[in-house]
Amino acid sequence: MIWNEQRECEDLETRRKRQLADLKELCFRLYDRVPFYRARFDAAGLTPADIRQLSDLSRIPFTTKDELRETYPYGLLAVDESELREIHTSSGTTGTPVVGAYTDADISLWGEVAARCLCMAGGRRGDVVQNAYGYGMFTGGLGLHYGARALGANIIPAASGNTKRQLMLMRDFKSTILTCTPSYALHMAEVAKELSIDPDRLHLNIGVFGAEPWSNAMRAEIENKLHLKAFDIYGLTEIIGPGVSCECAAQNGLHVNEDHFYPEIIDARTGEVLPDGETGELVLTTLTRQGTPILRYRTRDITRIDSSPCACGRTLRRMHRLLGRNDDMLILRGVNVFPSQIENVLLRIEETQPHYQIIIERGASHLDEVELQVEVEENFFSDETKELERIRRKIHSELKQELGISVKVKLVEPRAIARSEGKAKRVIDRRNLQGGTP
Amino acid sequence: MKISQISVFLENKNGRLAEVTRILAENNISLKAASIADTSDFGILRIICDQTEKARQLMHDHLFTTRVNDVIAVRLDDRPGSLAAIMTLFEQNRVNVEYLYTTHIGQEQRSAVVFKVEDVERGLSILRQNGMETVKGF
């Protein structure tokens, strides 16, 4: 089923016209109402009237996360405060949070795009959606909630945490769709196993997982353990929250709701716009947001756009599953490393699970010292040290092959690494590269 | 007879061993033998106790990684050469010993040596054929 066939399967010419009309209107609106954007246009020697075609978008400067922080709380507000109905902020782990402010129209839009996503994954009216994303300031919980509500599903607003209760709710209310972070889904699967809950006695058919990058190997693991089909959903607070894009049954990329969120791919170094098919940083413009619209937001997510036709019939272009994040990328002894590569190695080795943490320190030698901590699971634990040493060496050599650098591998007790009920904390960087006191 | 041994994975961190033994003590489990194999990063605690299944469940509940496997225990006379006799027997019959440790049989006031061999059944039958006395329980 397609939630909004008219929009999602629209012919490309009509869509482009609509996108252009919305973009023009947005530029005028922001120029009028948001001093930050007016100054932007002025400094670039542009007026909103200079935006005549979609490609003119590239003349407008980018908006960065730092700028969103600097304008906290209401510096980018494009409506009167009395129009606001809801505020969300990003997790703000690194300081001032980023604000998303929603009007009535924005909340409806959120429901619409999130419902499209649930539908892409196969959800429909009458499904029981167990929403185990965190509710609150984090956009995951309420975003999927609005989507499931628009869809006509029965919502179990379980939020994240209390895993035993999650499993009980899942069983008793016959949840058919699970929405949460992929790492929490995996955690639930493990707890289910510990409690000897047979996944076949649950009613889950579909999982819609997002808010952190995850590999296809991890997808296979979740599907295998929870007996459901897992779909990738993408979104970010700066744009709207979950609902920017999602996989359809073809699972060949995530359809971007581009009638509302216009995607560009740029070369992260030069800022140059790249053609569809090339890999680079995703930049998004909210064509129709009211509260806090944003022009050319640099997401720092690395992907590429696929404009080839999709078997599902949607004409919305697809973004490839996230290949990484500029932020997540670690530079270890000069080598670029994405945590997803480490995850892949651990999933490839038969004995190990992707429960790991990377600790980076700069030792006395001023070299990066990297330690990968991997939890010892019962399936490979042995009473003989030589067997554990064999697995440790295997992880070490596979990592060296994959990453090109030598990483110290340490085996740790299970649960030594905090399980994520929100986002997994995989990297602890103690290098203090910013300078100053830590 | 085979004896059940529980192995517990421990990080080289202060207090881990104390925690394991405390949990067992609080649940009235009596240790009959214990040894540790250690590397620079981790240790493997191997124990023989009076309630193997209960001890394993307790360890599991406290999120320790465990494994239960079979070992052989042989009575040992307190005189020079008693261990050498067993080792020679194993050597002649090509029984591969992974590790061993000694313990005490409380009621008998005698020592015993615990062996982990590659093939437990074969190890046992060789001992039996040669008149060695294996321990049936502690």
Side-chain angles (χ1 to χ4, degrees), chain A residues 371-389:
Chain A
E371 180 176 278
L372 177 73
Q373 301 191 340
V374 182
E375 293 182 358
V376 173
E377 310 270 337
E378 299 212 329
N379 68 325
F380 76 85
F381 177 50
S382 164
D383 57 315
E384 295 175 27
T385 51
K386 69 175 184 198
E387 177 59 18
L388 288 180
E389 283 297 333

Side-chain angles (χ1 to χ4, degrees), chain A residues 1 115 117-125 127 151 177 206:
Chain A
M1 195 181 99
C117 291
L118 287 168
C119 227
M120 285 180 202
R124 55 209 54 211
R125 190 179 188 82
D127 264 310
L151 183 70
I177 300 181
I206 295 167

Side-chain angles (χ1 to χ4, degrees), chain A residues 91-110:
Chain A
S91 38
T93 42
T94 45
T96 315
V98 166
V99 178
Y102 301 72
T103 64
D104 268 332
D106 290 331
I107 300 279
S108 304
L109 168 64
W110 203 4

Side-chain angles (χ1 to χ4, degrees), chain B:
Chain B
M1 231 181 84
K2 291 179 282 192
I3 303 279
S4 282
Q5 170 191 270
I6 310 173
S7 303
V8 185
F9 181 81
L10 296 178
E11 275 175 54
N12 276 359
K13 268 193 318 203
N14 195 19
R16 302 310 287 149
L17 195 50
E19 190 181 343
V20 173
T21 48
R22 206 159 42 229
I23 293 165
L24 296 175
E26 280 163 5
N27 289 278
N28 224 12
I29 289 172
S30 177
L31 282 181
K32 301 300 174 190
S35 85
I36 275 204
D38 68 311
T39 72
S40 56
D41 284 337
F42 62 84
I44 300 171
L45 171 69
R46 301 163 183 145
I47 51 180
I48 295 171
C49 66
D50 59 348
Q51 301 168 74
T52 305
E53 205 28 62
K54 183 177 170 193
R56 181 190 164 91
Q57 189 58 47
L58 279 166
M59 290 295 105
H60 183 79
D61 293 345
H62 286 82
L63 305 177
F64 285 98
T65 303
T66 60
R67 179 194 184 103
V68 173
N69 60 281
D70 294 328
V71 291
I72 302 171
V74 187
R75 279 189 181 74
L76 220 54
D77 290 331
D78 182 13
R79 58 172 172 77
S82 58
L83 181 59
I86 302 172
M87 298 318 294
T88 305
L89 192 58
F90 281 159
E91 184 197 13
Q92 284 166 352
N93 291 281
R94 294 177 195 282
V95 174
N96 216 346
V97 176
E98 303 294 349
Y99 55 81
L100 67 83
Y101 52 98
T102 57
T103 186
H104 182 73
I105 308 170
Q107 296 134 343
E108 301 178 19
Q109 298 287 315
R110 281 176 84 186
S111 294
V113 59
V114 178
F115 290 100
K116 166 72 187 288
V117 295
E118 231 171 20
D119 185 342
V120 176
E121 295 294 349
R122 200 167 148 261
L124 273 174
S125 78
I126 286 163
L127 289 169
R128 231 178 351 249
Q129 285 159 20
N130 289 275
M132 299 277 185
E133 224 184 326
T134 58
V135 181
K136 295 184 174 55
F138 286 88

